[in-house]
Amino acid sequence: MLILFLIFAYHLHSLYICTHLNNTLIMRNIFILLLVFVAMACSHDEPVAPVTAKLNMRDSAALIAVRDSLLTNVSFRYEWDFSKPEEMTGVKVKLDSVANEYRVTGLSFPSLNPVLTYQWQIDEKHWDDYWVYIPKSIGNLSELKVFYASGPILAPIPDEFFNCPLESLTIMGLLGPNGRFDDTSVPIDLIRLKPTIRRIVFVGCRFKNGLPEEILHELSDAPNLKNFCLNNCYLEGKVTPAYGLLWCEFDLTNNNFTEIDWELFENFTLNVPFLYCNKIDTKNIPPHIRQSQRWADFGDRLCGQR
């Protein structure tokens, strides 16, 4: 624009010389034309640079809480730059093109507590320095669909966590509220995930206090549930008919069940859970069960021994 203006000014100067400043009318018209040109140059709109999408504010606050409560022992892996959400380790985001902001859709945190993996090497009085937990504000991640964490992590899982529309939930190493040898139970709030959940995996979690049968009843008709795994979760006692309600693949491997209600075989036609490596006494299997076709089809899944 400046170059064009200079060229125009040069021609004006030439014209000025040619007219010898004698013709007032011509000079007035030229002056008006010059003003119009300058006005057009000054009013020319420069293209507006697109606004860079940022991370949603509520999601940012939730991630800060996650970092300060769940990632304290491995913070060196998660030095997040919130201005670059697509590059944040362990965080999956998607762009909301309407709001021009990123939303958190997935969190993946392997080996959160490598120090406590070797607890016997730590003085007991220092254990509290290493425990981590899931913060309540994680429930503000209203687009969170996938959560994976490998602990050990302290229970309880906050109620707010189940506000998230989770499709896949994996937690490895959930301990009771008091740590090392403390027990807890399978969280009843799993039933709140019924509309969206596809996969539930708990491994090495101290669920010695049990699996509420209400969970089995409520999730029996969960529209998308494909896998429910409670592997090595210290579950014990009796496998009741309610355990046969789930249509999905139901893995109860490496627990401490000692009994099974044989009604599960006789009267239920739904899926039979995997019970490899439990403590069920195969000597007490009723003869008519052992001789049945159903036992031939599913017996190895129920009573594989350690």
Side-chain angles (χ1 to χ4, degrees), residues 117-301:
T117 303
Y118 307 97
Q119 294 179 21
W120 58 86
Q121 298 180 7
I122 304 172
D123 191 316
E124 185 173 351
K125 65 183 180 182
H126 294 302
W127 284 346
D128 289 344
D129 297 336
Y130 297 99
W131 296 129
V132 297
Y133 60 92
I134 298 172
K136 292 182 179 180
S137 57
I138 197 172
N140 292 330
L141 297 175
S142 58
E143 296 291 333
L144 184 65
K145 300 184 185 305
V146 177
F147 181 83
Y148 172 92
S150 174
I153 302 168
L154 289 186
I157 300 174
D159 296 345
E160 293 82 356
F161 177 74
F162 299 95
N163 294 338
C164 303
L166 290 170
E167 296 178 1
S168 177
L169 168 61
T170 302
I171 295 180
M172 305 176 70
L174 183 70
L175 309 180
N178 296 315
R180 193 179 187 199
F181 297 116
D182 198 23
D183 297 315
T184 184
S185 59
V186 181
I188 188 66
D189 281 316
L190 281 176
I191 62 178
R192 292 169 53 193
L193 302 178
K194 180 176 178 178
T196 58
I197 195 67
R198 296 176 178 272
R199 184 171 184 264
I200 301 171
V201 177
F202 289 103
V203 177
C205 300
R206 292 192 66 91
F207 290 149
K208 197 172 182 179
N209 293 346
L211 168 61
E213 290 193 358
E214 183 181 352
I215 293 176
L216 302 174
H217 285 277
E218 287 292 330
L219 295 184
S220 64
D221 59 349
N224 303 305
L225 185 60
K226 304 298 182 185
N227 306 94
F228 192 179
C229 174
L230 295 167
N231 190 313
N232 192 26
C233 286
Y234 299 84
L235 294 168
E236 57 186 21
K238 189 173 186 177
V239 179
T240 66
Y243 283 75
L245 292 176
L246 297 183
W247 281 97
C248 67
E249 181 178 292
F250 190 18
D251 186 355
L252 296 170
T253 304
N254 292 307
N255 284 289
N256 297 317
F257 290 108
T258 55
E259 299 180 73
I260 183 171
D261 190 324
W262 296 110
E263 188 179 344
L264 181 69
F265 259 61
E266 294 180 293
N267 298 330
F268 280 75
T269 58
L270 303 184
N271 200 7
V272 178
F274 287 93
L275 279 165
Y276 283 120
C277 299
N278 275 269
K279 298 179 179 179
I280 296 173
D281 186 358
T282 57
K283 296 178 182 179
N284 295 326
I285 299 174
H288 71 284
I289 295 293
R290 188 182 293 274
Q291 296 168 11
S292 69
Q293 183 60 44
R294 190 160 176 75
W295 178 258
D297 293 338
F298 295 110
D300 63 334
R301 295 172 67 179

Side-chain angles (χ1 to χ4, degrees), residues 29-48:
N29 292 338
I30 292 174
F31 181 73
I32 292 173
L33 182 62
L34 176 61
L35 289 177
V36 171
F37 183 85
V38 172
M40 291 177 60
C42 293
S43 64
H44 179 70
D45 292 331
E46 294 295 332
V48 179

Side-chain angles (χ1 to χ4, degrees), residues 63-82 88-90 109-115 129-130 132:
L63 287 182
I64 291 172
V66 167
R67 183 188 61 192
D68 294 343
S69 58
L70 192 59
L71 309 180
T72 52
N73 294 328
V74 287
S75 57
F76 60 91
R77 298 182 192 162
Y78 302 98
E79 296 178 352
W80 290 330
D81 181 350
F82 284 82
M88 295 170 68
T89 304
F109 305 128
S111 190
L112 288 174
N113 230 329
V115 177
D129 297 336
Y130 297 99
V132 297

